Amino acid sequence: MPLAFVIARYFAYAFAAVALAWLLAFMALSAAINAGLVYEASWGPANVREVVARLAAEKDLGPADIPTAYRYLVVDETGKALTTDLEGTRLEDATTAAHAALAAEPGSVEIDGGGSGLTYAAFPLADGGACALVSEYLPQWAAREAAETLPNPQNLMLAAGAAGSALALALVARRASHVISRKMAPLTEAAARIGREELDFSMGRTNVREMNDVLDAMDAMRASLATSLEARWQAERRQREQVASLAHDLKTPLTILRANADFVAEELEGEKDADLAAAARDISDGAERLDSYVRLLIEASRGSGASAKAPTRPAEPCEQLVAEAAPVARAHGIELVADIDPAVSDAPEVPLDHTALARAVANLVANAAEHARSRVALTCSISNEALVIEVADDGPGFSPAALEHGCERLFTDDASRAARDGERHYGLGLFAAAEAARAHGGTVSLANSPSGGAVATIAIPLDVQQP
């Protein structure tokens, strides 16, 4: 069915419900009139002569003697008001009519329409004086207590009709909401499953034409997305397999490189050229670290390279970092100044991913060594219950753009720190360091030293639950 039909149907329901609410309110007023609880709107003008005939013979006429369908004014022989419930212009008009009735013949009554649904009736009283009755074309309570304490019956009917209409509209709206939600359930379910990348399913159907059109469009999107994701997954799988194969192939030349470097280092141990022996040992250590990175690369390509945190004393990774930074500095022909604060040795064990932290600092050291003029400083300390590792160089420092975006992935716009020998940058070193720090609940901050050079700082909290 068209959606317009569904909407029109509930408009009809709403109209019928409002009409029913007003009908029930009117029927309740009619029932009260039939039960004698309420005077109908025309009762006062229609029965004024019978009421006047009864009241004219009353002695000491008072409010209790007058039906609630009338407002009244009673005056004495001199025209002085004795009792009334009128005010304003109605009291003035009633006073004029009562004064005129003082000179009228006993048993006579003067009836006059005052406009706006009002009727005035004035008549002389048997014991002297006169009375004026004012009736309004409105239903009135028959009991005086009710008339004095409750709103007019017609106003109550209007309030009941309005409240019933509001309730009826709310019920119809709630019903419409449930029905529309039920009809939209296939859309909601399809959107949720697509959001979870569950693309192998059939779209539901409804009996609303426009919703089925949307479902058809979503089904076409689902099929297209499934095809696209399948192609992407296949490409990623092939890429992972290729990376794993290449990483595995690297293990053989790395083994040869490490074995030969160890052989050269052993042969040069007794020679006078200690620098060559140290260089050979650096090659061996570098090959060993590279071999561990290759293993991590193979594990990552298989989807098993998750972070491995273990309780570790902060002094252990700091000592390793200093040891691994020395060959990097020698390779660039610069001096390494390392300092580990004694407070680091006293720090308790905390969960650390030793390998990830080492790679993060290695990236900072490599970056500093590449841009330093003659010196790189590596310091480890405890500050504000955090392990702080600072790498500083005496190079040109970070550019303003690098200070703001240097830790973003693939950022390379660092003109003030151009690479030596035209070496290409990929914008991954600082990003990788920042990611490793973030995995430990820490941060990487970049700054320029007042004396010149760049300063990169890793802060790892030691007093909070790390993610």
Side-chain angles (χ1 to χ4, degrees), residues 321-322 325 336-340 361 365 376-380 389-392:
L321 296 173
V322 172
L336 174 67
V337 180
D339 179 39
I340 300 179
V361 177
V365 171
V376 169
L378 172 61
T379 60
C380 299
I389 303 172
E390 183 179 280
V391 179

Side-chain angles (χ1 to χ4, degrees), residues 51-404:
V51 172
V52 167
R54 178 174 60 82
L55 296 180
E58 291 284 344
K59 293 182 179 181
D60 298 325
L61 181 65
D65 302 315
I66 302 173
T68 56
Y70 303 100
R71 295 294 184 93
Y72 57 88
L73 168 66
V74 179
V75 299
D76 60 12
E77 297 89 341
T78 64
K80 180 181 178 180
L82 297 177
T83 181
T84 184
D85 62 355
L86 293 168
E87 58 186 15
T89 58
R90 293 187 183 186
L91 177 58
E92 295 174 0
D93 293 342
T95 300
T96 301
H99 288 172
L102 289 174
E105 293 291 332
S108 64
V109 57
E110 183 68 27
I111 300 175
D112 182 29
S116 302
L118 297 177
T119 299
Y120 289 84
F123 56 94
L125 298 176
D127 59 350
C131 176
L133 300 179
V134 181
S135 61
E136 188 174 5
Y137 198 82
L138 283 175
Q140 302 290 346
W141 295 105
R144 183 161 295 279
E145 294 80 4
E148 292 175 349
T149 57
L150 297 177
N152 183 275
Q154 179 170 292
N155 294 337
L156 281 180
M157 182 197 74
L158 294 176
S165 298
L167 177 62
L169 289 175
L171 293 176
V172 171
R174 182 177 181 181
R175 172 61 180 170
S177 174
H178 285 317
V179 170
I180 293 175
S181 296
R182 188 173 67 248
K183 293 182 181 299
M184 292 184 66
L187 292 174
T188 305
E189 180 184 3
R193 297 186 70 170
I194 291 175
R196 296 192 299 267
E197 295 188 0
E198 299 175 6
L199 304 178
D200 187 16
F201 68 94
S202 298
M203 292 283 179
R205 308 299 291 175
T206 71
N207 61 347
V208 179
R209 183 178 60 197
E210 287 82 357
M211 290 186 181
N212 285 334
D213 292 340
V214 176
L215 284 169
D216 290 340
M218 290 187 69
D219 191 50
M221 179 183 69
R222 177 200 61 80
S224 176
L225 186 59
T227 301
S228 175
L229 287 178
E230 179 64 24
R232 190 189 73 182
W233 291 333
Q234 291 295 335
E236 290 179 351
R237 182 182 61 81
R238 289 192 297 268
Q239 186 179 30
R240 287 195 302 270
E241 291 175 351
Q242 185 179 18
V243 169
S245 298
L246 291 173
H248 183 271
D249 292 343
L250 280 174
K251 292 180 65 65
T252 298
L254 282 174
T255 301
I256 297 173
L257 178 62
R258 182 182 176 188
N260 282 278
D262 287 340
F263 173 75
V264 172
E266 291 172 0
E267 291 295 319
L268 293 175
E269 285 295 338
E271 300 293 331
K272 295 181 180 180
D273 197 342
D275 290 342
L276 287 177
R281 187 61 62 190
D282 289 346
I283 294 173
S284 177
D285 293 342
E288 182 178 359
R289 290 198 303 274
L290 188 56
D291 185 66
S292 67
Y293 292 161
V294 167
R295 286 196 299 271
L296 288 175
L297 187 59
I298 293 174
E299 292 176 2
S301 67
R302 293 173 178 171
S304 58
S307 174
K309 292 181 182 178
T312 306
R313 294 178 58 250
E316 296 176 9
C318 288
E319 292 168 357
Q320 179 185 343
L321 296 173
V322 172
E324 293 183 357
V328 176
R330 283 196 295 270
H332 286 81
I334 59 176
E335 177 189 6
L336 174 67
V337 180
D339 179 39
I340 300 179
D341 192 299
V344 176
S345 301
D346 300 330
E349 290 185 342
V350 292
L352 293 175
D353 185 344
H354 202 144
T355 301
L357 189 59
R359 290 166 56 197
V361 177
N363 278 317
L364 298 184
V365 171
N367 190 59
E370 182 179 333
H371 299 93
R373 293 187 175 93
S374 61
R375 181 177 60 85
V376 169
L378 172 61
T379 60
C380 299
S381 61
I382 302 295
S383 177
N384 296 325
E385 299 186 340
L387 173 63
V388 178
I389 303 172
E390 183 179 280
V391 179
D393 63 59
D394 59 354
F398 291 111
S399 70
L403 289 174
E404 184 176 358

Side-chain angles (χ1 to χ4, degrees), residues 402-421:
L403 289 174
E404 184 176 358
H405 304 289
C407 291
E408 296 178 5
R409 188 172 183 267
L410 302 180
F411 176 82
T412 59
D413 185 21
D414 195 352
S416 67
R417 288 167 61 84
R420 289 184 178 181
D421 304 325

